[in-house]
């Protein structure tokens, strides 16, 4: 496995992080952001699970659980949970009470909620994207067990996870919530997305068994156009004719992940300078992902006067770039003066 940074992988990491930012900025119906997001929805973050599975270190003989990797991931998870609890929880909406020494608004349930362990709602003020890290911790812990599975069993697990995610995803979360459906009780845990994450992580492990990195890269480059063209043809048809919603289709999410890798390979081949420029921000990809929501809320307050306000259509076009730039302006000074801290907290290796 190569020890140096891998340009097209880093490009895909930054590309994915940026479009996560775009997805969390307002997307007025029919706007550019809205249209772009239709091609990325739910396929973005699963690229990370696929490559995490592929690059997972081989388990040692007799190893059943990976405590070392788990501890490495737990540190940033606890840290960013604390940051999210301080910056994005109710204190921002109850400064008057807090300054007066009144903490009656506080509930201990706020902390596990921020950790993605309790009552995780999609559109609430405190929706910080830590579910990804929480799920990755569990996958890293049980990775040795997954690696012990025979290839055929591992592939069956992949297919079962993809099918199970489609079943667990409620067709209309809002309608189900209004009717008190049992499925909504599971939705805050993002169970169906974690099930799909297990599928992609296992798929990465399975691919690793049959293709070393050089062979894997050759394969991605050889067929880079295929998923991109398929996405351009299939997704407009899916949306235009109202077929099975992409949010519920693991097959379309897999297409989106393949498309992400295809775009990375194509940019490396045909736009090497642009690819190199974007890939240079690879070490900051996780930091962008985990801090952009904090920056987004600060800008929302500054531009709209309210944490619940909405950006204008024109602001939505450049807001993702501004948020990403602010995250990078924070990342690089911290990395320069606190390299050890950033290595562990921002996983900036």
């Amino acid at each position: 496995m190569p020890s140096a940074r891998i340009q097209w992988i880093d490009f895909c990491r930054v590309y994915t992080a940026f479009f996560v930012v775009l997805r969390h900025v307002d997307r007025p119906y029919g706007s550019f952001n809205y249209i772009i997001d239709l091609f990325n929805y739910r396929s973005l973050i699963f690229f990370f699970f696929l490559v995490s599975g592929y690059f997972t270190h081989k388990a040692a003989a007799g190893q059943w659980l990976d405590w070392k990797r788990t501890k490495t991931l737990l540190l940033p998870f606890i840290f960013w949970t604390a940051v999210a609890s301080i910056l994005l929880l109710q204190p921002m909406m109850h400064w008057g009470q807090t300054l007066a020494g009144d903490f009656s608004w506080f509930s201990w349930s706020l902390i596990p909620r921020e950790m993605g362990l309790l009552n995780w709602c999609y559109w609430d003020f405190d929706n910080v994207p830590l579910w990804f890290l929480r799920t990755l911790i569990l996958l890293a812990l049980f990775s040795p067990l997954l690696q012990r599975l025979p290839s055929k069993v591992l592939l069956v697990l992949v297919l079962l996870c993809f099918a199970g995610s489609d079943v667990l995803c409620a067709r209309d979360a809002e309608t189900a919530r209004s009717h008190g459906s049992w499925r909504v009780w599971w939705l805050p845990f993002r169970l169906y997305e974690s099930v799909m994450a297990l599928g992609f992580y296992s798929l990465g492990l399975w691919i690793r068994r049959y293709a070393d990195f050089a062979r894997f890269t050759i394969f991605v480059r050889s067929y880079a156009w295929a998923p991109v063209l398929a996405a351009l043809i299939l997704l407009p048809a899916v949306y235009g004719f109202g077929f099975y919603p992409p949010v519920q289709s693991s097959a379309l999410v897999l297409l989106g992940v393949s498309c992400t890798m295809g775009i990375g390979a194509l940019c490396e081949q045909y736009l090497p300078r642009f690819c190199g420029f974007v890939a240079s921000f690879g070490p900051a990809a996780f930091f962008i992902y985990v801090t952009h929501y904090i920056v987004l809320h600060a800008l929302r307050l500054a531009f709209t006067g309210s944490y619940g306000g909405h950006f204008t259509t024109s602001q939505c076009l450049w807001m993702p770039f501004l948020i990403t730039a602010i995250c990078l302006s924070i990342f690089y000074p911290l990395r320069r003066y606190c390299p050890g801290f950033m290595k562990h907290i921002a996983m900036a290796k």
Side-chain angles (χ1 to χ4, degrees), residues 54 108 140 150 213 232 257 265 272 316:
Y54 184 85
W108 287 108
F213 183 73
L232 291 175
V257 172
C316 290

Side-chain angles (χ1 to χ4, degrees), residues 120-178:
W120 188 288
C121 298
Y122 286 99
W123 312 115
D124 278 2
F125 180 79
D126 55 330
N127 181 8
V128 182
L130 288 176
W131 76 271
F132 157 75
L133 196 53
R134 178 210 67 195
T135 302
L136 189 59
I137 288 171
L138 294 174
L139 294 174
L141 176 63
F142 293 103
S143 175
L145 291 174
L146 293 173
Q147 293 184 51
R148 287 178 177 272
L149 295 176
S151 295
K152 292 182 179 179
V153 176
L154 191 61
L155 186 58
V156 169
L157 176 62
V158 171
L159 297 176
L160 288 176
C161 286
F162 287 171
S165 178
D166 288 4
V167 172
L168 287 170
C169 181
R171 285 185 172 274
D172 186 341
E174 294 301 325
T175 301
R177 185 176 291 112
S178 65

Side-chain angles (χ1 to χ4, degrees), residues 83-128:
V83 171
S85 299
I86 294 171
L87 296 179
L88 292 183
L89 275 178
Q90 301 298 331
M92 298 186 73
M93 305 179 72
H94 298 277
W95 277 121
Q97 290 177 266
T98 304
L99 292 175
D102 180 6
F103 296 92
S104 60
W105 50 267
F106 181 80
S107 169
W108 287 108
S109 66
L110 299 177
I111 297 175
R113 184 171 68 195
E114 286 309 295
M115 298 174 73
L117 301 177
L118 177 68
N119 195 29
W120 188 288
C121 298
Y122 286 99
W123 312 115
D124 278 2
F125 180 79
D126 55 330
N127 181 8
V128 182

